[in-house]
């Protein structure tokens, strides 16, 4: 067996380097769970919350509540937190969906509980909590943290100005949020260690809101200008604020949901109502299988991470001589040669398949043969 393996692989090594498939092959593919809410009008209190799984099945999250919206994924797609109005007491509450079971985390609190987002470790939830103030003759909102297991709530801010739409930094040390102290809305961040705050973005007479962090990059929406209240989306890498290329002064681009540094889902009014769009780094594509004649907003995405066996390019569940032969045929451009999972063969993680990956397969097969696995 070893002699046969050596003959086959020796022949393979005579193959010249051939240009290969790259990671761009799947750049337009949305592979994961997508969550969003849809309503005819915010004040109609008819928002419905949906999750679409990688197979395309759509599930609505329902229960003894109404106007569900602003969902967020935890560390798995089976952990979801969202806000909705409790039917029994007509109160905004925070709900947890976990493995098919929905629990009200803030029942009968006497407060408005809104804008929930998971901490990076999935153990806590930040949100805004509001109450009616006779002195202010208005609702007063502060940031808070909820521990789901115990139900304990910790208030983070304490003033008469509204803090809203909190979102954790990747390391969990900060909370980014919208502050309504001196402007229609500015982007600030709160240090959870010493409770100090700093302004990240503020523009006179311009509302900035809905911050979200992805790979240490901040995204948020803001008005086009003080005169034009059309929403646009901004990207901030810590040094420079950059307008997303799909922005327009003619229609809203809001609710950023980054997929990676180049791709994003967002809500846009290009066609009238808010629809969901996927920006693939070059163009915006409407999600026609989701969009309706109502408003689709608040997208969140959880990527599907498929477990790959190194070298298993025919995707039969194991790495064997058959995979090496398949790669050989593909490099030789033999007609009708198809790779079921080319990325499993990218053994150097350089985004391409070539003779070097084939050489590495040879080493892996020899090692496997010596261990009695071939």
């Amino acid at each position: 067996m070893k002699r046969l393996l050596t003959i086959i692989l020796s022949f393979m090594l005579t193959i010249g380097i051939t240009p290969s498939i790259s990671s761009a092959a799947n750049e337009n593919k949305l592979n994961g769970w997508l969550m969003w809410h849809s309503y005819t009008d915010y004040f109609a209190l008819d928002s419905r919350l949906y999750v679409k799984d990688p197979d395309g099945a759509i599930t609505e999250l329902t229960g003894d509540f109404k106007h569900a919206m602003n969902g967020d994924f935890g560390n798995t797609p089976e952990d979801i937190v969202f806000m909705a109005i409790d039917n029994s007491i007509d109160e905004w509450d925070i709900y947890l969906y976990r493995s098919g079971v929905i629990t009200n985390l803030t029942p009968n609190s006497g407060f408005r509980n809104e804008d929930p987002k998971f901490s990076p470790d999935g153990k806590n939830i930040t949100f805004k909590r509001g109450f009616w103030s006779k002195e202010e003759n208005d609702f007063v909102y502060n940031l808070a943290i909820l521990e789901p297991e115990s139900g304990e709530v910790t208030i983070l801010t304490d003033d008469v100005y509204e803090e809203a739409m909190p979102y954790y930094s990747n390391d969990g040390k900060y909370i980014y949020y919208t502050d309504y102290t001196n402007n229609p809305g500015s982007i600030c961040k709160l240090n959870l260690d010493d409770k100090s705050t700093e302004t990240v973005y503020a523009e006179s007479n311009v509302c900035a809101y809905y911050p979200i962090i992805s790979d240490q990059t901040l995204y948020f929406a803001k008005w086009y200008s003080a005169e034009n209240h059309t929403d646009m989306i901004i990207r901030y890498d810590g040094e420079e604020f950059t307008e997303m290329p799909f922005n327009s002064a003619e229609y809203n681009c809001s609710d950023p949901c980054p997929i990676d540094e180049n791709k994003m889902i967002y809500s846009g009014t290009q066609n009238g109502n808010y629809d969901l769009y996927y920006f693939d780094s070059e163009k915006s594509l409407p999600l026609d299988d989701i969009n309706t004649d109502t408003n689709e907003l608040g997208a969140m995405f959880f990527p599907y991470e498929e477990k790959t066996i190194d070298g298993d390019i025919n995707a039969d569940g194991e790495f064997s001589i058959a995979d090496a032969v398949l790669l050989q045929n593909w490099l030789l451009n033999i007609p009708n040669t198809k790779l079921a999972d080319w990325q499993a063969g990218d053994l150097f993680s350089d985004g391409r398949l070539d003779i070097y990956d084939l050489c590495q397969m040879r080493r892996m097969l020899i090692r496997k043969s010596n261990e009695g696995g071939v």
Side-chain angles (χ1 to χ4, degrees), residues 142-162:
N142 291 297
L143 301 182
I145 289 179
L146 168 66
E147 202 284 308
E149 298 302 324
S150 66
E152 180 181 354
V153 173
T154 302
I155 303 298
L156 300 175
T157 58
D158 185 16
D159 54 49
V160 298
Y161 303 106
E162 180 179 356

Side-chain angles (χ1 to χ4, degrees), residues 109-306:
S109 67
F111 296 96
R112 292 175 63 105
N113 306 287
E114 307 175 50
D115 301 347
K117 294 293 182 292
F118 274 109
S119 61
D121 60 10
K123 294 181 179 179
N124 294 308
I125 297 166
T126 184
F127 67 106
K128 77 170 184 179
R129 168 161 280 190
F131 64 93
W132 182 260
S133 169
K134 293 182 179 180
E135 292 77 9
E136 299 298 322
N137 194 33
D138 199 354
F139 277 94
V140 172
Y141 291 95
N142 291 297
L143 301 182
I145 289 179
L146 168 66
E147 202 284 308
E149 298 302 324
S150 66
E152 180 181 354
V153 173
T154 302
I155 303 298
L156 300 175
T157 58
D158 185 16
D159 54 49
V160 298
Y161 303 106
E162 180 179 356
E163 293 94 13
M165 306 173 191
Y167 201 97
Y168 278 96
S169 61
N170 285 355
D171 58 13
K173 295 181 179 179
Y174 300 91
I175 289 178
Y176 289 81
Y177 64 97
T178 304
D179 179 85
Y180 292 96
T181 303
N182 297 315
N183 283 283
S186 56
I187 305 298
C188 297
K189 71 175 182 178
L190 169 71
N191 187 318
L192 289 174
D193 288 334
D194 59 16
K195 302 303 184 292
S196 62
T197 63
E198 65 176 276
T199 300
V200 178
Y201 183 89
E203 186 177 349
S204 181
N205 298 317
V206 170
C207 183
Y209 72 110
Y210 205 90
I212 185 170
I213 300 291
S214 177
D215 293 331
Q216 301 183 31
T217 299
L218 169 68
Y219 299 85
F220 60 92
K222 81 171 192 74
W223 291 345
Y224 198 84
S225 68
E227 296 73 31
N228 185 346
H229 292 183
T230 299
D231 283 341
M232 63 191 306
I233 295 176
I234 302 296
R235 180 181 187 271
Y236 179 55
D237 61 6
E239 296 182 357
E240 185 177 5
F241 294 94
T242 306
E243 299 179 7
M244 297 301 292
F246 50 74
N247 288 326
S248 171
E250 304 301 321
Y251 52 78
N252 290 313
C253 295
S254 188
D255 292 10
C257 173
I259 305 301
D260 60 32
E261 62 179 352
N262 298 312
K263 303 177 182 68
M264 173 181 290
I265 298 171
Y266 68 95
S267 293
T269 57
Q270 290 92 314
N271 293 317
N273 290 334
Y274 279 102
D275 286 325
L276 293 182
Y277 289 85
Y278 172 54
F279 177 67
D280 66 0
S281 78
E282 295 182 355
K283 57 186 178 300
S284 289
L285 307 170
L287 300 184
D288 290 330
D289 58 337
I290 288 175
N291 294 328
T292 66
D293 57 358
T294 61
N295 295 282
E296 280 72 43
L297 295 149
M300 282 291 172
F301 184 73
F302 191 99
Y304 176 70
E305 297 181 0
E306 188 171 9

Side-chain angles (χ1 to χ4, degrees), residues 315-331:
D316 65 354
E318 65 174 351
F319 170 58
S320 67
I321 295 175
D323 295 294
V325 173
L326 179 61
L327 180 55
Q328 166 199 308
N329 293 342
W330 186 83
L331 289 172

Side-chain angles (χ1 to χ4, degrees), residues 36-56:
W36 74 98
H37 62 261
S38 177
Y39 56 68
T40 58
D41 182 271
Y42 178 84
F43 297 102
L45 303 181
D46 61 357
S47 181
R48 304 169 74 173
L49 188 64
Y50 300 95
V51 178
K52 180 181 178 182
D53 69 21
D55 294 326

